[in-house]
Amino acid sequence: MPAWLAWPGPSTLRHALAGVRAVTGPATGTAAMGLVAGVAMAQSGLPMAVLLPMSLLVYASSSQLACLPLMASQAPLWLVGATAAVLNLRFVVFSAEWSRYFHHLSRPQRVALSYFAGDPIYALFTQRHPLPGRNGRQRRREVAYYLGLALSNWAVWQLSSAVGLVLADQLPGAHSLRFVAILALLTLTLPMVKDRPTRVAALAACAVALPAQALPRGLPVLVTMLAAMAAGLLAEHRQPRTHAG
């Protein structure tokens, strides 16, 4: 067994179980989004031979929900791919942070971990581990905590999306389920708004998100993300000068 998967001691195992417990609350939002995705897949008109592998292999709620209507309308493949790529650009930002924690792993190991990465996983992980571990023991605990978070969240997604796919006609509308998911995600993100740059970024995102809905599919998320990043970086760069004055 690779060293990064080996949990020889009870301390490392406790970190994995801590990840499982930590993701219990945010998993409510994951379950709601999984149900939304499952219902959307069932109502897309695509054949079950396409939907079943998609339910198992695709693990990206926002891009999945955006691409399903395009696939159902037989949009060009390049448009489907471009839409998914735009919506997943945030993971480029996440990967820069993940590399600080998992750079000691081999490339296949990092690729395997990246499949399970998601928004709630990033938020919860960085809250518990704001700085990377300095030695092998701390790094093993970080990987164990990440796996506890990520595998639990992935299992909830798979189960809920399969339920949504099979029981689409018996579930509430997708808009109601999405509202539940948004509330669950808010409970996760609001505690992270602690300092001035984060508050500025959150306010910028709120200000841009609503008018950006008029943009073509996929662009609202990208524009909102870029606005929040720019505002947060600007506030962070101006903060030292403010304190110095």
Side-chain angles (χ1 to χ4, degrees):
M1 180 181 293
W4 68 290
L5 282 177
W7 295 343
S11 177
T12 308
L13 180 58
R14 283 197 299 270
H15 278 71
L17 294 177
V20 175
R21 290 192 296 268
V23 83
T24 302
T28 304
T30 300
M33 288 303 296
L35 289 172
V36 171
V39 171
M41 286 191 290
Q43 296 176 351
S44 66
L46 296 172
M48 193 61 67
V50 174
L51 295 178
L52 286 177
M54 181 184 295
S55 178
L56 179 63
L57 298 176
V58 177
Y59 184 42
S61 57
S62 57
S63 58
Q64 189 170 340
L65 292 172
C67 292
L68 278 169
L70 298 176
M71 296 171 64
S73 62
Q74 298 183 348
L77 183 60
W78 69 265
L79 180 58
V80 177
T83 300
V86 167
L87 288 174
N88 287 320
L89 276 177
R90 67 190 186 281
F91 289 104
V92 176
V93 180
F94 291 169
S95 67
E97 186 72 10
W98 288 128
S99 65
R100 300 171 57 222
Y101 296 89
F102 302 139
H103 63 88
H104 61 285
L105 302 176
S106 68
R107 185 181 299 274
Q109 292 168 353
R110 296 198 305 270
V111 170
L113 291 181
S114 69
Y115 167 74
F116 297 100
D119 301 278
I121 308 305
Y122 175 82
L124 291 169
F125 182 89
T126 52
Q127 282 180 7
R128 184 179 177 93
H129 297 284
L131 296 174
R134 297 181 178 180
N135 54 53
R137 176 181 296 181
Q138 292 175 346
R139 290 171 179 173
R140 284 193 299 271
R141 291 175 176 177
E142 288 173 352
V143 174
Y145 184 71
Y146 176 90
L147 289 174
L149 289 172
L151 293 177
S152 301
N153 197 66
W154 178 83
V156 170
W157 169 266
Q158 295 298 336
L159 178 61
S160 59
S161 61
V163 170
L165 179 61
V166 175
L167 303 179
D169 296 334
Q170 304 176 36
L171 293 172
H175 292 292
S176 300
L177 294 172
R178 192 174 299 179
F179 180 71
V180 174
I182 291 172
L183 290 180
L185 290 175
L186 282 175
T187 62
L188 173 66
T189 55
L190 287 179
M192 300 177 64
V193 183
K194 297 179 178 179
D195 52 19
R196 183 174 180 273
T198 308
R199 289 194 294 270
V200 170
L203 289 173
C206 293
V208 172
L210 187 58
Q213 295 303 310
L215 298 173
R217 185 181 297 273
L219 287 180
V221 175
L222 176 62
V223 171
T224 303
M225 180 180 67
L226 292 176
M229 289 174 55
L233 289 173
L234 180 61
E236 186 174 6
H237 284 301
R238 294 185 62 181
Q239 190 166 263
R241 290 195 294 269
T242 301
H243 290 309

